[in-house]
Amino acid sequence: MDLAEYKGVYVIAEQFEGKLRNVSFELLGQGKKLAETLGEEVGAVLIGHNVKPLAQELLNYGAQKVYVYDDAALENYNTTAYTKVIEDFTAKHKPNVFLIGATNIGRDLGPRIANELKTGLTADCTELGVDDDKKTIIWTRPALGGNIMAEIICPNNRPQMGTVRPNVFKKPEPTEGAAGDVIDEKADLTEKDFLTKFIELIKVGGDGIKVEEADVVVSGGRGMKEEDFKEGGCLVELANILGGAVAASRAVTDQGWINPLFQIGQTGKTVSPKLYIAAGISGAIQHLAGILGSDCIVAINKDEDAPIFNVCDFGIVGDAHEVLPLIIEAVKKH
Ligand code: FAD
């Protein structure tokens, strides 16, 4: 493999129901920095059906080129078909780097692509850099239970690939109407490329705001009760009136009080909302790993020595079952 033939940093953009996910913009911000250091261009690959109107948004967030694979057969995410699209793209354009969101889709797609292209993939990166050779990406990610930060490189294969968690990096400021190229592409897809068939979309948690994209996250821990996480429960009520999403610590998801998709922390989701309310959460390091990008953390805990009070902006020592109804009442008044 002639590594020098491979050029350009490409974000595999993720869209759902005609809306781009924030992580695609966060990755474009990082992709631009990497591309500048490498002396290459930054672009995006957009896959789906009727998605071309979204290309301008990717240009606004820094893409210089957007390659659009618009096909009715690609309307719903399909692991093998989307992988084939990226294989075709790679054969034609020889990209140096792929950046993928560590979302449910990205975590499914990334390893499959890496396997088909016989290259490496670093999952769940929290930092991205370029080695002194100005060629090799240094992918940094927590390892061994978060005790060390591992720096991983892919020296002998291309493309270099990694997934990055949503909310680890800030979204760049968009430039409305930014110039760039939008290029129509067609993948060579046959029935064989669709190993699974889309039957029905069942949304976990309904149509509500996604926890990783919410401006307000109301999160509960072991100090809460199972009914607090259900419709009518105090966590859900507060989240609803603040226009936010409910989340939980691992102690809660392990007990099955709420779906693990709502778990925040090292082995859950990373969030960076404007407001994170932690009720009945002790503040273990693994939980904090997912919330420290929040603009404002409010903690409610009946133990004044709980570690969450070391990181919060506002702390309330008290029983969450007494404090939350007071907050709900106060918010309703305003
Ligand atoms: P606890 O630590 O039991 O804390 C409950 C808190 O509630 C206490 O501080 C208590 O004072 C308070 N409380 C009790 N009753 C009330 C009340 N009525 N009102 C107010 N406060 C009250 N954890 C995560 O959250 N996310 C992760 O992604 C994650 N990943 C992990 C990965 C690894 C490899 C390991 C080893 C652990 C991981 N954990 C994770 C688990 C983590 O170490 C903690 O065990 C967990 O975060 C504790 O959850 P908690 O704060 O809800 O429960």
Side-chain angles (χ1 to χ4, degrees):
M1 172 178 270
D2 180 2
L3 304 190
E5 282 184 2
Y6 288 76
K7 297 249 182 279
V9 178
Y10 290 90
V11 172
I12 301 182
E14 187 173 326
Q15 55 83 27
F16 181 65
E17 295 185 331
K19 194 170 176 291
L20 285 158
R21 303 283 304 271
N22 271 338
V23 68
S24 301
F25 306 134
E26 293 159 15
L27 292 181
L28 276 173
Q30 292 307 303
K32 192 170 174 209
K33 286 186 199 158
L34 295 178
E36 278 165 8
T37 313
L38 294 164
E40 298 175 7
E41 64 184 7
V42 60
V45 186
L46 179 59
I47 309 170
H49 185 41
N50 293 331
V51 289
K52 199 168 173 187
L54 303 178
Q56 181 61 47
E57 228 182 322
L58 294 166
L59 297 179
N60 293 351
Y61 278 95
Q64 292 164 281
K65 284 183 177 164
V66 181
Y67 292 89
V68 184
Y69 289 83
D70 202 314
D71 189 325
L74 296 170
E75 175 157 15
N76 296 299
Y77 172 68
N78 183 293
T79 312
T80 47
Y82 275 44
T83 300
K84 180 65 170 36
V85 169
I86 298 296
E87 276 183 81
D88 281 14
F89 175 82
T90 303
K92 192 168 168 192
H93 298 288
K94 295 201 172 2
N96 183 8
V97 180
F98 275 136
L99 299 176
I100 306 172
T103 58
N104 293 335
I105 285 182
R107 284 178 168 154
D108 181 62
L109 184 63
R112 179 71 74 132
I113 296 171
N115 180 59
E116 293 302 322
L117 298 178
K118 301 285 172 267
T119 187
L121 171 86
T122 308
D124 272 5
C125 299
T126 51
E127 260 180 75
L128 305 171
V130 180
D131 205 354
D132 291 340
D133 65 2
K134 298 260 188 295
K135 291 179 186 150
T136 315
I137 302 295
I138 301 179
W139 309 90
T140 305
R141 57 153 297 165
L144 299 177
N147 288 313
I148 61 160
M149 296 304 281
E151 291 188 344
I152 297 171
I153 57 169
C154 177
N156 303 320
N157 296 78
R158 294 292 181 270
Q160 307 176 76
M161 290 180 54
T163 62
V164 178
R165 283 177 168 216
N167 297 311
V168 167
F169 296 112
K170 289 256 176 250
K171 233 173 32 166
E173 282 303 317
T175 308
E176 289 310 317
D181 297 328
V182 178
I183 302 142
D184 288 316
E185 291 280 352
K186 182 121 192 79
D188 180 21
L189 292 168
T190 66
E191 221 172 290
K192 284 204 311 294
D193 297 314
F194 293 82
L195 290 187
T196 52
K197 192 172 152 205
F198 175 83
I199 297 173
E200 187 192 354
L201 176 69
I202 301 167
K203 291 185 187 166
V204 178
D207 280 321
I209 303 161
K210 278 190 174 298
V211 67
E212 58 273 47
E213 300 196 351
D215 279 342
V216 177
V217 176
V218 182
S219 195
R222 206 195 311 260
M224 304 308 294
K225 296 185 182 138
E226 183 170 4
E227 60 261 31
D228 299 329
F229 295 85
K230 308 270 179 252
E231 213 47 56
C234 56
L235 296 169
V236 177
E237 192 179 356
L238 184 57
N240 286 344
I241 57 174
L242 292 174
V246 171
S249 70
R250 179 155 155 188
V252 167
T253 56
D254 278 355
Q255 292 186 85
W257 291 358
I258 190 170
N259 189 295
L261 286 173
F262 299 95
Q263 182 189 313
I264 306 299
Q266 186 186 312
T267 41
K269 296 207 156 112
T270 303
V271 290
S272 54
K274 294 197 172 99
L275 173 63
Y276 186 85
I277 300 176
I281 293 178
S282 60
I285 187 79
Q286 295 88 356
H287 187 81
L288 300 184
I291 68 168
L292 292 181
S294 308
D295 289 344
C296 176
I297 298 173
V298 173
I300 307 162
N301 198 303
K302 64 181 187 186
D303 173 7
E304 63 179 28
D305 294 323
I308 191 83
F309 288 129
N310 298 329
V311 299
C312 69
D313 299 279
F314 298 96
I316 302 168
V317 180
D319 184 334
H321 292 107
E322 290 168 13
V323 175
L324 283 172
L326 295 176
I327 296 179
I328 291 168
E329 208 184 296
V331 176
K332 275 183 179 165
K333 276 192 194 146
H334 287 85

